[in-house]
């Protein structure tokens, strides 16, 4: 069964550094998402992406964050200058149809630790 | 504000016991509802979903959930749990007003002992 994959599984970085989290969505999916889960808290929506554009973003997704689909398979989340509070598990998800009519399939997550 | 509540944070059961995990949401409009499961070391997987129709939804691995609109609830049930059901269970809601985002509950950690 096709799966969403994410790399790396764990990223450790120094505060102020840039990180890029990578995701390979399921191949025939058109809608892509990033969520995050700070330890002990809820999974929170960050951003949705369709047709090479952000379709929705949360208040968490400020100017430090950006997303890109650099080629036909990868979907990336960039954090420009990491802060301690960015430490979290970041989940990528994809769906074939729009998220309110179709199921979102999640990747295994990237654990980001900011020191 | 829209929210999803899972009142059971940690549930411990013996094998063959029955399971019911509560999920309530605070949104008055039409919603899609989901239960996801995360087994240790694995990614979030869809257990079941409700979009419309029969409010009793059957999912994988013998799980089912009932949507009760008047109670804003979507409780997850399984008549007889197994050790392999040990996992974290997340309820999620998609409010259908031009948004694709899922709003998650805090999750319930289920431990099943043989």
């Amino acid at each position: 069964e096709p799966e969403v994959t994410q790399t790396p599984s764990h990223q450790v970085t120094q505060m102020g550094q840039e990180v890029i989290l990578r995701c390979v969505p399921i191949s025939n999916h058109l809608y892509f998402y990033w969520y995050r889960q700070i330890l002990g808290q809820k999974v929170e929506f960050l951003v949705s992406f369709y047709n090479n554009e952000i379709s929705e973003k949360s208040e968490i997704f400020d100017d430090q964050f950006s997303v890109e689909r650099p080629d036909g398979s990868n979907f990336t989340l960039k954090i420009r200058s990491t802060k301690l509070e960015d430490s979290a598990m970041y989940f990528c998800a994809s769906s074939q149809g729009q998220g309110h009519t179709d199921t979102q399939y999640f990747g295994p997550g990237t654990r980001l630790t900011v020191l | 504000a829209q929210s999803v509540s899972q009142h059971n944070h940690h549930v411990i059961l013996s094998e063959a016991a029955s399971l019911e995990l509560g999920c309530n949401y605070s949104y008055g409009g039409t919603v899609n509802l989901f239960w996801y499961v995360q087994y240790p070391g694995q990614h979030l997987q869809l257990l079941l979903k409700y979009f419309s129709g029969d409010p009793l939804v059957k999912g994988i691995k013998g799980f089912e959930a009932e949507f009760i609109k008047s109670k804003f609830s979507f409780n997850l049930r399984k008549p007889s749990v197994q050790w392999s059901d040990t996992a974290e269970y997340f309820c999620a809601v998609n409010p259908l007003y031009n948004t694709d985002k899922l709003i998650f509950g805090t999750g319930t950690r289920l431990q099943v002992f043989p």
Side-chain angles (χ1 to χ4, degrees), chain A residues 35 42 56 100-101 103-104, chain B residues 32 36 49 94 99-100 102:
Chain A
Y35 291 80
K42 297 184 181 188
E56 187 178 358
H100 64 268
T101 61
T103 300
Q104 295 178 33
Chain B
N32 288 340
Y36 282 86
K49 63 185 179 186
N94 168 233
T99 179
D100 290 339
L102 294 177

Side-chain angles (χ1 to χ4, degrees), chain A residues 3 33 35 37 42-43 45 56 91 98-104 106-108, chain B residues 4 32 36 38 43-44 46 49 51 90 94 96 99-102 104-106:
Chain A
E3 290 186 339
Y33 315 86
Y35 291 80
Q37 186 180 28
K42 297 184 181 188
V43 176
F45 169 80
E56 187 178 358
F91 295 102
Q98 284 185 272
H100 64 268
T101 61
D102 208 345
T103 300
Q104 295 178 33
F106 284 78
Chain B
V4 179
N32 288 340
Y36 282 86
Q38 188 173 30
H43 59 280
L44 285 162
L46 182 71
K49 63 185 179 186
F51 282 9
F90 294 91
N94 168 233
L96 290 177
T99 179
D100 290 339
K101 70 182 177 189
L102 294 177
F104 281 85
T106 49

